[in-house]
Each structure stands twice: as structure tokens, then as C-alpha cells.
Short mmCIF file of all heavy atoms in Angstrom, two decimals:
data_model
loop_
_atom_site.label_atom_id
_atom_site.label_comp_id
_atom_site.label_asym_id
_atom_site.label_seq_id
_atom_site.Cartn_x
_atom_site.Cartn_y
_atom_site.Cartn_z
N LYS V 10 22.42 1.43 -19.80
CA LYS V 10 22.90 1.31 -18.43
C LYS V 10 21.75 0.89 -17.52
O LYS V 10 20.58 1.12 -17.83
CB LYS V 10 23.54 2.60 -17.93
CG LYS V 10 22.60 3.75 -17.74
CD LYS V 10 23.35 4.97 -17.21
CE LYS V 10 22.44 6.17 -17.12
NZ LYS V 10 23.13 7.33 -16.59
N ILE V 11 22.11 0.26 -16.43
CA ILE V 11 21.14 -0.17 -15.42
C ILE V 11 20.77 1.05 -14.59
O ILE V 11 21.65 1.73 -14.05
CB ILE V 11 21.75 -1.28 -14.53
CG1 ILE V 11 22.21 -2.48 -15.36
CG2 ILE V 11 20.75 -1.69 -13.45
CD1 ILE V 11 21.14 -3.17 -16.16
N VAL V 12 19.46 1.32 -14.48
CA VAL V 12 19.03 2.53 -13.77
C VAL V 12 18.08 2.25 -12.61
O VAL V 12 17.51 3.18 -12.04
CB VAL V 12 18.41 3.57 -14.74
CG1 VAL V 12 19.46 4.10 -15.71
CG2 VAL V 12 17.21 3.00 -15.48
N SER V 13 17.91 0.97 -12.24
CA SER V 13 17.08 0.68 -11.08
C SER V 13 17.65 -0.51 -10.33
O SER V 13 18.44 -1.28 -10.87
CB SER V 13 15.63 0.34 -11.50
OG SER V 13 15.57 -0.98 -12.04
N HIS V 14 17.22 -0.63 -9.10
CA HIS V 14 17.51 -1.84 -8.33
C HIS V 14 16.59 -2.94 -8.86
O HIS V 14 15.60 -2.66 -9.55
CB HIS V 14 17.28 -1.59 -6.85
CG HIS V 14 18.24 -0.58 -6.29
ND1 HIS V 14 19.53 -0.87 -6.00
CD2 HIS V 14 18.07 0.74 -6.01
CE1 HIS V 14 20.14 0.21 -5.56
NE2 HIS V 14 19.27 1.22 -5.56
N SER V 15 16.87 -4.18 -8.52
CA SER V 15 15.99 -5.27 -8.96
C SER V 15 14.66 -5.18 -8.22
O SER V 15 14.60 -4.72 -7.08
CB SER V 15 16.65 -6.62 -8.73
OG SER V 15 16.78 -6.90 -7.36
N TYR V 16 13.62 -5.61 -8.91
CA TYR V 16 12.29 -5.66 -8.31
C TYR V 16 11.51 -6.79 -8.97
O TYR V 16 11.87 -7.24 -10.06
CB TYR V 16 11.57 -4.31 -8.41
CG TYR V 16 11.38 -3.75 -9.81
CD1 TYR V 16 10.16 -3.90 -10.48
CD2 TYR V 16 12.39 -3.03 -10.45
CE1 TYR V 16 9.97 -3.36 -11.74
CE2 TYR V 16 12.21 -2.50 -11.71
CZ TYR V 16 11.00 -2.66 -12.35
OH TYR V 16 10.80 -2.13 -13.61
N PRO V 17 10.46 -7.29 -8.31
CA PRO V 17 9.73 -8.44 -8.84
C PRO V 17 9.20 -8.20 -10.26
O PRO V 17 8.68 -7.12 -10.56
CB PRO V 17 8.59 -8.64 -7.85
CG PRO V 17 9.12 -8.08 -6.57
CD PRO V 17 9.94 -6.89 -6.98
N ASP V 18 9.33 -9.21 -11.09
CA ASP V 18 8.83 -9.15 -12.46
C ASP V 18 7.32 -9.41 -12.44
O ASP V 18 6.88 -10.54 -12.24
CB ASP V 18 9.56 -10.20 -13.31
CG ASP V 18 9.16 -10.16 -14.77
OD1 ASP V 18 8.09 -9.60 -15.10
OD2 ASP V 18 9.90 -10.73 -15.59
N HIS V 19 6.56 -8.38 -12.66
CA HIS V 19 5.10 -8.46 -12.60
C HIS V 19 4.51 -9.38 -13.67
O HIS V 19 3.41 -9.87 -13.51
CB HIS V 19 4.49 -7.06 -12.72
CG HIS V 19 4.81 -6.39 -14.02
ND1 HIS V 19 5.96 -5.65 -14.20
CD2 HIS V 19 4.16 -6.38 -15.20
CE1 HIS V 19 5.99 -5.20 -15.45
NE2 HIS V 19 4.91 -5.63 -16.07
N THR V 20 5.23 -9.62 -14.77
CA THR V 20 4.69 -10.48 -15.82
C THR V 20 4.51 -11.92 -15.32
O THR V 20 3.69 -12.67 -15.86
CB THR V 20 5.55 -10.47 -17.09
OG1 THR V 20 6.84 -11.00 -16.80
CG2 THR V 20 5.69 -9.05 -17.63
N ALA V 21 5.26 -12.30 -14.29
CA ALA V 21 5.14 -13.65 -13.74
C ALA V 21 3.81 -13.86 -13.02
O ALA V 21 3.38 -15.00 -12.84
CB ALA V 21 6.29 -13.92 -12.77
N PHE V 22 3.15 -12.77 -12.62
CA PHE V 22 1.90 -12.86 -11.87
C PHE V 22 0.66 -12.80 -12.77
O PHE V 22 -0.45 -12.99 -12.30
CB PHE V 22 1.79 -11.74 -10.84
CG PHE V 22 3.04 -11.49 -10.04
CD1 PHE V 22 3.46 -10.20 -9.77
CD2 PHE V 22 3.81 -12.54 -9.56
CE1 PHE V 22 4.60 -9.96 -9.03
CE2 PHE V 22 4.96 -12.31 -8.83
CZ PHE V 22 5.36 -11.01 -8.56
N ASP V 23 0.86 -12.51 -14.04
CA ASP V 23 -0.24 -12.28 -14.97
C ASP V 23 -0.54 -13.52 -15.80
O ASP V 23 0.24 -13.88 -16.69
CB ASP V 23 0.11 -11.11 -15.90
CG ASP V 23 -0.96 -10.80 -16.91
OD1 ASP V 23 -2.03 -11.44 -16.91
OD2 ASP V 23 -0.71 -9.89 -17.73
N PRO V 24 -1.66 -14.19 -15.55
CA PRO V 24 -1.98 -15.41 -16.30
C PRO V 24 -2.10 -15.19 -17.81
O PRO V 24 -1.98 -16.13 -18.59
CB PRO V 24 -3.33 -15.86 -15.73
CG PRO V 24 -3.48 -15.14 -14.44
CD PRO V 24 -2.66 -13.89 -14.53
N GLU V 25 -2.30 -13.95 -18.23
CA GLU V 25 -2.39 -13.65 -19.66
C GLU V 25 -1.02 -13.45 -20.31
O GLU V 25 -0.92 -13.39 -21.53
CB GLU V 25 -3.25 -12.40 -19.88
CG GLU V 25 -4.66 -12.51 -19.32
CD GLU V 25 -5.45 -13.62 -19.97
OE1 GLU V 25 -5.42 -13.74 -21.21
OE2 GLU V 25 -6.10 -14.40 -19.24
N SER V 26 0.02 -13.32 -19.51
CA SER V 26 1.36 -13.08 -20.03
C SER V 26 2.04 -14.38 -20.45
O SER V 26 1.88 -15.41 -19.79
CB SER V 26 2.22 -12.40 -18.96
OG SER V 26 3.57 -12.33 -19.38
N LYS V 27 2.82 -14.31 -21.52
CA LYS V 27 3.58 -15.50 -21.92
C LYS V 27 4.68 -15.82 -20.91
O LYS V 27 5.27 -16.88 -20.93
CB LYS V 27 4.15 -15.35 -23.32
CG LYS V 27 5.24 -14.34 -23.49
CD LYS V 27 5.72 -14.31 -24.94
CE LYS V 27 6.82 -13.30 -25.14
NZ LYS V 27 7.32 -13.33 -26.51
N TYR V 28 4.95 -14.89 -20.00
CA TYR V 28 5.96 -15.10 -18.96
C TYR V 28 5.35 -15.49 -17.61
O TYR V 28 6.04 -15.52 -16.59
CB TYR V 28 6.82 -13.84 -18.79
CG TYR V 28 7.52 -13.44 -20.07
CD1 TYR V 28 7.26 -12.22 -20.68
CD2 TYR V 28 8.44 -14.28 -20.68
CE1 TYR V 28 7.90 -11.85 -21.85
CE2 TYR V 28 9.07 -13.93 -21.85
CZ TYR V 28 8.80 -12.71 -22.43
OH TYR V 28 9.43 -12.35 -23.59
N TYR V 29 4.08 -15.80 -17.62
CA TYR V 29 3.38 -16.19 -16.39
C TYR V 29 4.03 -17.42 -15.74
O TYR V 29 4.42 -18.37 -16.42
CB TYR V 29 1.92 -16.50 -16.71
CG TYR V 29 1.12 -17.00 -15.53
CD1 TYR V 29 0.92 -16.21 -14.40
CD2 TYR V 29 0.56 -18.27 -15.55
CE1 TYR V 29 0.18 -16.67 -13.33
CE2 TYR V 29 -0.19 -18.75 -14.48
CZ TYR V 29 -0.37 -17.94 -13.37
OH TYR V 29 -1.10 -18.39 -12.30
N ASP V 30 4.16 -17.35 -14.42
CA ASP V 30 4.67 -18.49 -13.65
C ASP V 30 3.76 -18.66 -12.44
O ASP V 30 3.80 -17.86 -11.51
CB ASP V 30 6.10 -18.24 -13.19
CG ASP V 30 6.68 -19.40 -12.41
OD1 ASP V 30 5.94 -20.34 -12.04
OD2 ASP V 30 7.89 -19.37 -12.14
N PRO V 31 2.94 -19.72 -12.43
CA PRO V 31 2.01 -19.90 -11.32
C PRO V 31 2.69 -20.13 -9.98
O PRO V 31 2.06 -19.98 -8.93
CB PRO V 31 1.19 -21.13 -11.74
CG PRO V 31 1.99 -21.82 -12.77
CD PRO V 31 2.84 -20.77 -13.43
N LYS V 32 3.99 -20.44 -9.99
CA LYS V 32 4.71 -20.65 -8.73
C LYS V 32 5.29 -19.35 -8.17
O LYS V 32 5.89 -19.35 -7.11
CB LYS V 32 5.82 -21.67 -8.93
CG LYS V 32 5.28 -23.05 -9.24
CD LYS V 32 6.40 -24.05 -9.40
CE LYS V 32 5.82 -25.43 -9.72
NZ LYS V 32 6.87 -26.40 -9.99
N SER V 33 5.11 -18.26 -8.90
CA SER V 33 5.61 -16.96 -8.46
C SER V 33 4.42 -16.11 -8.01
O SER V 33 3.37 -16.13 -8.65
CB SER V 33 6.34 -16.26 -9.61
OG SER V 33 6.96 -15.09 -9.16
N SER V 34 4.60 -15.40 -6.91
CA SER V 34 3.51 -14.54 -6.42
C SER V 34 4.11 -13.24 -5.88
O SER V 34 5.31 -13.18 -5.58
CB SER V 34 2.75 -15.25 -5.31
OG SER V 34 3.56 -15.36 -4.15
N PRO V 35 3.30 -12.21 -5.73
CA PRO V 35 3.83 -10.96 -5.17
C PRO V 35 4.44 -11.16 -3.77
O PRO V 35 5.40 -10.49 -3.41
CB PRO V 35 2.60 -10.05 -5.12
CG PRO V 35 1.72 -10.55 -6.22
CD PRO V 35 1.92 -12.05 -6.21
N ASP V 36 3.89 -12.12 -2.99
CA ASP V 36 4.44 -12.40 -1.66
C ASP V 36 5.78 -13.13 -1.74
O ASP V 36 6.66 -12.92 -0.91
CB ASP V 36 3.50 -13.30 -0.86
CG ASP V 36 2.09 -12.77 -0.76
OD1 ASP V 36 1.82 -11.68 -1.28
OD2 ASP V 36 1.27 -13.47 -0.16
N LYS V 37 5.90 -14.02 -2.71
CA LYS V 37 7.12 -14.81 -2.90
C LYS V 37 7.51 -14.79 -4.37
O LYS V 37 7.34 -15.78 -5.09
CB LYS V 37 6.91 -16.25 -2.42
CG LYS V 37 6.76 -16.38 -0.94
CD LYS V 37 6.78 -17.84 -0.55
CE LYS V 37 6.77 -17.92 0.98
NZ LYS V 37 6.97 -19.27 1.45
N PRO V 38 8.05 -13.66 -4.82
CA PRO V 38 8.41 -13.57 -6.24
C PRO V 38 9.58 -14.50 -6.56
O PRO V 38 10.51 -14.65 -5.78
CB PRO V 38 8.80 -12.11 -6.43
CG PRO V 38 9.16 -11.62 -5.08
CD PRO V 38 8.36 -12.44 -4.10
N ARG V 39 9.50 -15.11 -7.70
CA ARG V 39 10.55 -16.01 -8.18
C ARG V 39 11.44 -15.30 -9.20
O ARG V 39 12.60 -15.64 -9.34
CB ARG V 39 9.87 -17.23 -8.81
CG ARG V 39 10.80 -18.29 -9.27
CD ARG V 39 10.00 -19.40 -9.90
NE ARG V 39 9.97 -20.52 -8.98
CZ ARG V 39 9.47 -21.69 -9.26
NH1 ARG V 39 8.90 -21.91 -10.43
NH2 ARG V 39 9.51 -22.67 -8.40
N TRP V 40 10.87 -14.34 -9.91
CA TRP V 40 11.55 -13.67 -11.02
C TRP V 40 11.66 -12.17 -10.76
O TRP V 40 10.76 -11.57 -10.19
CB TRP V 40 10.81 -13.96 -12.32
CG TRP V 40 10.65 -15.42 -12.53
CD1 TRP V 40 9.50 -16.14 -12.42
CD2 TRP V 40 11.68 -16.36 -12.81
NE1 TRP V 40 9.76 -17.46 -12.64
CE2 TRP V 40 11.09 -17.64 -12.89
CE3 TRP V 40 13.05 -16.26 -13.03
CZ2 TRP V 40 11.81 -18.79 -13.16
CZ3 TRP V 40 13.78 -17.41 -13.30
CH2 TRP V 40 13.16 -18.66 -13.36
N PHE V 41 12.76 -11.59 -11.25
CA PHE V 41 13.05 -10.18 -11.01
C PHE V 41 13.44 -9.50 -12.31
O PHE V 41 13.75 -10.14 -13.30
CB PHE V 41 14.16 -10.04 -9.97
CG PHE V 41 13.72 -10.45 -8.60
CD1 PHE V 41 13.66 -11.79 -8.24
CD2 PHE V 41 13.34 -9.51 -7.67
CE1 PHE V 41 13.22 -12.19 -6.99
CE2 PHE V 41 12.89 -9.89 -6.41
CZ PHE V 41 12.84 -11.23 -6.07
N MET V 42 13.41 -8.18 -12.27
CA MET V 42 13.80 -7.39 -13.43
C MET V 42 14.48 -6.11 -12.97
O MET V 42 14.52 -5.81 -11.78
CB MET V 42 12.59 -7.08 -14.30
CG MET V 42 11.48 -6.33 -13.63
SD MET V 42 10.08 -6.27 -14.78
CE MET V 42 8.90 -5.40 -13.81
N ARG V 43 15.01 -5.40 -13.92
CA ARG V 43 15.63 -4.09 -13.68
C ARG V 43 15.25 -3.17 -14.83
O ARG V 43 14.88 -3.63 -15.90
CB ARG V 43 17.15 -4.20 -13.62
CG ARG V 43 17.62 -4.87 -12.32
CD ARG V 43 19.11 -4.73 -12.19
NE ARG V 43 19.57 -5.36 -10.97
CZ ARG V 43 20.04 -4.70 -9.93
NH1 ARG V 43 20.08 -3.40 -9.94
NH2 ARG V 43 20.47 -5.35 -8.86
N ASP V 44 15.39 -1.88 -14.59
CA ASP V 44 15.16 -0.90 -15.65
C ASP V 44 16.47 -0.59 -16.34
O ASP V 44 17.53 -0.49 -15.70
CB ASP V 44 14.54 0.37 -15.09
CG ASP V 44 13.14 0.15 -14.54
OD1 ASP V 44 12.53 -0.90 -14.85
OD2 ASP V 44 12.65 1.03 -13.81
N LEU V 45 16.36 -0.41 -17.64
CA LEU V 45 17.50 -0.16 -18.52
C LEU V 45 17.25 1.16 -19.25
O LEU V 45 16.13 1.42 -19.68
CB LEU V 45 17.52 -1.31 -19.52
CG LEU V 45 18.76 -1.71 -20.25
CD1 LEU V 45 19.82 -2.17 -19.27
CD2 LEU V 45 18.43 -2.84 -21.22
N LYS V 46 18.29 1.98 -19.38
CA LYS V 46 18.18 3.24 -20.12
C LYS V 46 19.17 3.22 -21.28
O LYS V 46 20.35 2.91 -21.09
CB LYS V 46 18.47 4.43 -19.21
CG LYS V 46 18.39 5.77 -19.93
CD LYS V 46 18.58 6.92 -18.97
CE LYS V 46 18.55 8.26 -19.66
NZ LYS V 46 17.34 8.57 -20.36
N LEU V 47 18.69 3.57 -22.44
CA LEU V 47 19.55 3.62 -23.63
C LEU V 47 20.58 4.74 -23.50
O LEU V 47 20.22 5.87 -23.17
CB LEU V 47 18.69 3.83 -24.88
CG LEU V 47 19.47 3.90 -26.20
CD1 LEU V 47 20.11 2.54 -26.52
CD2 LEU V 47 18.54 4.32 -27.33
N ILE V 48 21.82 4.42 -23.75
CA ILE V 48 22.87 5.43 -23.83
C ILE V 48 23.12 5.78 -25.30
O ILE V 48 23.18 6.94 -25.66
CB ILE V 48 24.18 4.93 -23.18
CG1 ILE V 48 23.99 4.76 -21.69
CG2 ILE V 48 25.33 5.89 -23.47
CD1 ILE V 48 25.18 4.15 -20.98
N LYS V 49 23.23 4.73 -26.13
CA LYS V 49 23.57 4.96 -27.53
C LYS V 49 23.15 3.78 -28.39
O LYS V 49 23.44 2.63 -28.05
CB LYS V 49 25.08 5.17 -27.65
CG LYS V 49 25.60 5.35 -29.04
CD LYS V 49 27.10 5.54 -29.04
CE LYS V 49 27.56 5.85 -30.46
NZ LYS V 49 28.96 6.25 -30.49
N LYS V 50 22.47 4.07 -29.46
CA LYS V 50 22.21 3.07 -30.49
C LYS V 50 23.39 3.14 -31.46
O LYS V 50 23.76 4.24 -31.92
CB LYS V 50 20.90 3.36 -31.21
CG LYS V 50 20.61 2.36 -32.31
CD LYS V 50 19.30 2.67 -33.02
CE LYS V 50 19.11 1.72 -34.19
NZ LYS V 50 17.88 2.01 -34.93
N LEU V 51 23.99 2.01 -31.76
CA LEU V 51 25.15 2.00 -32.65
C LEU V 51 24.70 2.23 -34.09
O LEU V 51 23.64 1.75 -34.50
CB LEU V 51 25.89 0.67 -32.56
CG LEU V 51 26.44 0.30 -31.18
CD1 LEU V 51 27.22 -1.01 -31.26
CD2 LEU V 51 27.31 1.39 -30.60
N PRO V 52 25.52 2.94 -34.87
CA PRO V 52 25.15 3.17 -36.28
C PRO V 52 25.19 1.87 -37.09
O PRO V 52 24.47 1.73 -38.07
CB PRO V 52 26.18 4.17 -36.77
CG PRO V 52 27.30 4.12 -35.79
CD PRO V 52 26.74 3.62 -34.50
N ASN V 53 26.03 0.93 -36.67
CA ASN V 53 26.16 -0.36 -37.35
C ASN V 53 26.25 -1.46 -36.30
O ASN V 53 26.86 -1.28 -35.25
CB ASN V 53 27.42 -0.42 -38.22
CG ASN V 53 27.41 0.64 -39.29
OD1 ASN V 53 26.53 0.67 -40.13
ND2 ASN V 53 28.40 1.53 -39.24
N ILE V 54 25.68 -2.60 -36.62
CA ILE V 54 25.73 -3.74 -35.72
C ILE V 54 27.17 -4.28 -35.65
O ILE V 54 27.90 -4.23 -36.63
CB ILE V 54 24.76 -4.84 -36.19
CG1 ILE V 54 24.64 -5.95 -35.17
CG2 ILE V 54 25.16 -5.39 -37.55
CD1 ILE V 54 23.52 -6.94 -35.47
#
């Protein structure tokens, strides 16, 4: 389930991250994320 509001994706600001985006900054974030909490892992796919 979704357990947070959206917030800027910090990986976009990190030049060492494979998700780095030089056009995204903390002042003008381009990418966002949310927190997810596991409810149940299924016994079978």
C-alpha cells in the first residue's frame, strides 16, 4: 500500500546514481517517488 505523499526523488540529484538527471534539482524537481509498505507476499506468483 501507498504510505506517503509524493516527494522529490533524491536519486535524480545524485551524479553517482544510475537515475541521475542533470535537469532535475531540489529547487525544481522533475521526478517524484512515494513510500510503499508490504501488506502480503504471495505464496505463489
